[in-house]
Amino acid sequence: MGLRALGSGRYVLGDVVGACIYAGSPASRRRCAANHRVLDPSLDDRAARRRALASFRNYARTSVDFVWQYAVPASGMHRHFRAYGLEHAHAAVEDYGGGVFALAHFGSWDVAASCGFASGLRVTAVMAPVGPDLVTRITAWARRRQDLEVLVSSNAARGLIRAVRRGRFAAILSDIPDRGDTEIVDFCGGRVEFSTAAAWLARVARVPVMPVDCWRHKGKYRLVVHPPVVIQPGESDAEVTQRIASGLEAAIRRNPEWWYPFGEIYRP
C-alpha cells in the first residue's frame, strides 16, 4: 500500500536502486553498454553508457511496479495502461481456442500479465526459481493473485498445452533461455540464442504465436499484442522462432532503454 500511495514518486526509489546497482556492477554495466552498441552502432562510448544506465533504472522501476501492481485491483488497472492489438488475442481464442504470447526481456512482463488480466485475457506462465525456495514461492503466490497461472517446474510442457486448450495464453520469455531447445536467430544486430518453446507449443497445440511487449510511456504502460505468427505447413521451429524474434526486435529498437541486455547476449 505504501508504494501505491507514493504514486509515480515510487520511481525515485527505483531510480536510486537502479543507479546503485549500475555503479556497483562494473562487469554488467560494461556488457550492457557493449550490447547496446551492437544494437545501435552509431552510439559512442558515452552514449552507450547512458543507454546502459537507463536500462538499469528502468529494470529497477519495473521491479518496484512488480510490488505496486498487486495493490491495484483489476477494476482500477485500466487507469494505468493502454492496450493495443487485443483483437489479435480475442481472434486467437475464437478461431483456435487459445494462443501463445512470446516476450523478451524488455519492459515489464509482470505488468503485462496484470494488463492482460484487466483486459479479459487469462495467462499461464512458467517461472524459473528466483533465489531461495521461499522467495520463489512468495513470487509465485504474488503472481497468482492476479489470476496468472504459474507453473514452477522444469518440465511444464504438459501444463502449458492443457492451459492453451482451456482457452488461456501461454506466456514465454523467448530470449535468454535457461533451459530447453534453442536456435540461433538474428536479433538486435547480432546472433542470439532463442528458446524454441513458443514455436513448439504453437505447433503442438495448433495455435498462433503473438509477440507481446509492455513498457511505460508518458505515465502509462502500453500493452501491445502484435499480429499473430501462424505456423505454415513445412515451416521449421527455427524459421518460426526467427519470425518471433523479428517481431520482438521492432519494439526494442523503438525503445532501447527498456531493454535489459545485462549478460552475454550475442554469440560469435
Side-chain angles (χ1 to χ4, degrees), residues 3-205:
L3 287 177
R4 185 180 178 185
L6 283 175
S8 60
R10 66 189 181 274
Y11 294 131
V12 175
L13 171 62
D15 287 348
V16 170
V17 171
C20 289
I21 296 174
Y22 175 86
S25 309
S28 293
R29 70 173 183 254
R30 284 194 296 268
R31 283 196 300 266
C32 187
N35 290 333
H36 273 296
R37 291 196 70 178
V38 175
L39 174 69
D40 184 357
S42 70
L43 296 176
D44 59 22
D45 288 343
R46 186 175 181 180
R49 289 195 297 270
R50 286 199 301 268
R51 187 72 57 80
L53 175 58
S55 288
F56 274 82
R57 283 178 168 169
N58 280 330
Y59 185 75
R61 286 186 170 200
T62 62
S63 298
V64 170
D65 278 344
F66 170 72
V67 179
W68 160 83
Q69 67 176 326
Y70 293 110
V72 181
S75 58
M77 193 66 189
H78 286 286
R79 297 196 302 271
H80 304 289
F81 78 97
R82 295 288 181 267
Y84 305 88
L86 291 178
E87 67 274 11
H88 302 308
H90 295 314
V93 173
E94 183 176 344
D95 297 339
Y96 299 93
V100 179
F101 289 153
L103 302 93
H105 285 76
F106 169 86
S108 176
W109 39 96
D110 284 298
V111 174
S114 293
C115 296
F117 176 54
S119 302
L121 306 178
R122 300 160 63 222
V123 178
T124 298
V126 176
M127 191 183 81
V130 286
D133 181 65
L134 178 60
V135 176
T136 298
R137 290 177 181 273
I138 291 173
T139 304
W141 169 81
R143 288 170 172 166
R144 286 168 180 149
R145 287 193 63 203
Q146 295 290 64
D147 197 42
L148 173 63
E149 182 181 44
V150 178
L151 306 177
V152 185
S153 171
S154 60
N155 185 22
R158 291 183 180 180
L160 289 173
I161 293 172
R162 287 195 297 267
V164 170
R165 289 174 175 169
R166 298 198 320 269
R168 301 184 72 96
F169 290 89
I172 296 175
L173 278 169
S174 296
D175 64 330
I176 318 179
D178 63 348
R179 62 172 62 89
D181 294 336
T182 62
E183 287 286 346
I184 302 297
V185 299
D186 292 318
F187 182 68
C188 293
R191 302 289 285 167
V192 178
E193 190 175 18
F194 251 62
S195 169
T196 60
W200 174 85
L201 180 59
R203 185 187 309 283
V204 171

Side-chain angles (χ1 to χ4, degrees), residues 238-254:
E239 292 169 321
V240 175
T241 301
Q242 179 61 71
R243 290 206 283 149
I244 293 169
S246 298
L248 294 170
E249 178 180 341
I252 293 172
R253 288 194 175 278
R254 285 193 296 268

